[in-house]
């Protein structure tokens, strides 16, 4: 019946923390190519996920200097957008845990179907704006075949204080089309009393930045409306004379990371 079919529809959650293994691109990439040239790929898993800038990839094979991405579900993974990447960009290993099978990746061993639905959600509600943001979020991951334990043994900081991506979707929807609920920062994880599961605690990235960044006295005003581009962009402001060459800026309640400034045009890029 329709009622039973609807009852059987359960959301699938995806938790994707970045890891500690990194290297850099030795050649630039456009938004469509299916290989990445770099150094030290020999230390990466034989297959798996990586993140370059803000784009997540799945690579199906590698050599010591080249990652190869499949044409289907290789680029723009985990709700990101395919983009160009410059030579020298950081390539970082990522790990993917899901609460169920992902369409097109049902048999992919690099997607660990060991994630329980999230728990311990807290939100900060902004009544005046009619908005809310995730404060903290807890995840439980079964340590099947001691997969998480082995990652920790390789490096005790492997998954601590790393960026994590949190998505939700359904089995009938391809994972690149899942809804991104937030980008978090992992705070701590520990083995629970069962000795078979790890409990992860994550915090909203913007909240983490607000806690850690001390802002100076340099102030100005935006000379244009700031949009929310997925992969960065330019922002015109009134005066950047007292700004550092690179750094962080705060607009309203959002922290922005800028990578360059242009004094002639009074703008920042990030």
């Amino acid at each position: 019946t329709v009622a039973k079919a609807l009852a059987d529809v359960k959301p699938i959650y995806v938790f994707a923390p970045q890891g500690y293994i990194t290297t850099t691109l030795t050649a630039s990439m456009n938004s469509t190519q299916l290989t990445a040239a770099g150094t030290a790929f020999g230390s990466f898993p034989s297959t798996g996920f990586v993140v370059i800038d803000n784009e997540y990839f799945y690579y199906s094979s590698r050599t010591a200097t080249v990652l190869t991405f499949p044409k289907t579900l290789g680029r723009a993974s985990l709700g990101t957008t395919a983009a160009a990447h410059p030579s020298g960009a950081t390539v970082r290993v990522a790990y993917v845990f899901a609460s169920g099978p992902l369409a097109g990746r049902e048999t992919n061993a690099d997607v660990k179907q060991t994630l329980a639905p999230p728990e311990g959600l807290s939100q900060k509600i902004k009544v005046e704006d009619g908005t809310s943001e995730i404060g903290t979020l807890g995840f439980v991951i079964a340590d099947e075949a001691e997969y998480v334990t082995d990652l920790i043994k390789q490096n005790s900081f492997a998954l601590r204080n790393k960026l994590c991506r949190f998505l939700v979707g359904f089995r009938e929807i391809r994972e690149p089309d899942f809804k991104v609920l937030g980008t978090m920062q992992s705070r701590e994880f520990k083995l629970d009393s069962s000795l078979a599961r790890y409990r992860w605690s994550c915090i909203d990235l913007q909240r983490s930045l607000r806690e850690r960044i001390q802002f100076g006295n340099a102030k100005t005003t935006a000379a244009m409306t700031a949009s929310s581009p997925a992969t960065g962009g330019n922002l015109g402001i009134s005066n950047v004379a007292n700004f550092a060459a690179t750094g962080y800026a705060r607009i309203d309640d959002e922290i922005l990371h800028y990578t360059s400034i242009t004094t002639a045009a009074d703008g920042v890029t990030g």
Side-chain angles (χ1 to χ4, degrees):
T1 65
V2 173
K4 183 179 185 304
L6 291 175
D8 290 339
V9 175
K10 295 181 180 179
I12 292 178
Y13 297 95
V14 176
F15 174 55
Q18 296 182 16
Y20 72 97
I21 304 174
T22 64
T23 187
T24 56
L25 293 178
T26 55
S28 61
M29 296 178 61
N30 62 34
S31 61
T32 60
Q33 73 185 73
L34 298 177
T35 58
T39 59
F41 287 146
S43 63
F44 283 35
S46 57
T47 61
F49 292 86
V50 294
V51 57
I52 305 174
D53 296 327
N54 293 314
E55 182 182 356
Y56 280 75
F57 300 71
Y58 176 74
Y59 64 96
S60 53
S61 64
R62 65 154 178 80
T63 67
T65 56
V66 176
L67 298 179
T68 300
F69 315 112
K71 186 175 182 180
T72 302
L73 297 177
R75 298 201 56 171
S77 296
L78 301 176
T80 59
T81 302
H85 305 283
S87 177
T90 298
V91 184
R92 183 180 294 274
V93 167
Y95 306 98
V96 175
F97 302 93
S99 63
L102 303 183
R105 302 194 198 273
E106 291 89 346
T107 60
N108 189 324
D110 296 306
V111 177
K112 305 300 181 183
Q113 296 181 36
T114 55
L115 178 69
E119 59 181 31
L121 173 67
S122 70
Q123 288 183 300
K124 177 181 178 181
I125 299 175
K126 303 178 182 179
V127 178
E128 65 278 10
D129 298 332
T131 62
S132 66
E133 65 181 28
I134 294 175
T136 59
L137 195 59
F139 296 92
V140 175
I141 296 175
D143 192 28
E144 288 189 4
E146 297 189 340
Y147 176 76
V148 178
T149 296
D150 286 342
L151 291 178
I152 297 170
K153 286 180 179 178
Q154 294 170 24
N155 186 306
S156 60
F157 294 97
L159 302 168
R160 193 184 303 276
N161 293 324
K162 299 295 190 296
L163 292 183
C164 307
R165 203 164 177 82
F166 175 43
L167 305 90
V168 65
F170 295 91
R171 185 166 184 171
E172 294 76 14
I173 301 174
R174 294 195 327 155
E175 158 262 305
D177 298 322
F178 275 29
K179 172 68 175 178
V180 179
L181 297 182
T183 299
M184 317 284 287
Q185 183 183 41
S186 60
R187 276 296 178 91
E188 62 179 3
F189 55 90
K190 58 185 178 181
L191 201 62
D192 73 4
S193 58
S194 71
L195 301 181
R197 301 180 303 179
Y198 279 89
R199 291 185 176 274
W200 243 285
S201 174
C202 298
I203 188 171
D204 174 71
L205 181 59
Q206 288 290 322
R207 176 179 166 185
S208 175
L209 287 173
R210 285 194 293 271
E211 290 178 353
R212 294 165 55 189
I213 297 176
Q214 299 295 320
F215 289 92
N217 295 321
K219 296 181 180 180
T220 185
T221 57
M224 59 182 287
T225 300
S227 60
S228 55
T231 56
N234 299 320
L235 173 65
I237 59 179
S238 299
N239 187 351
V240 296
N242 295 320
F243 279 57
T246 62
Y248 292 88
R250 181 171 182 169
I251 300 179
D252 295 328
D253 204 32
E254 180 179 0
I255 309 299
L256 306 178
H257 177 220
Y258 65 93
T259 56
S260 64
I261 62 173
T262 305
T263 56
D266 279 331
V268 295
T269 301

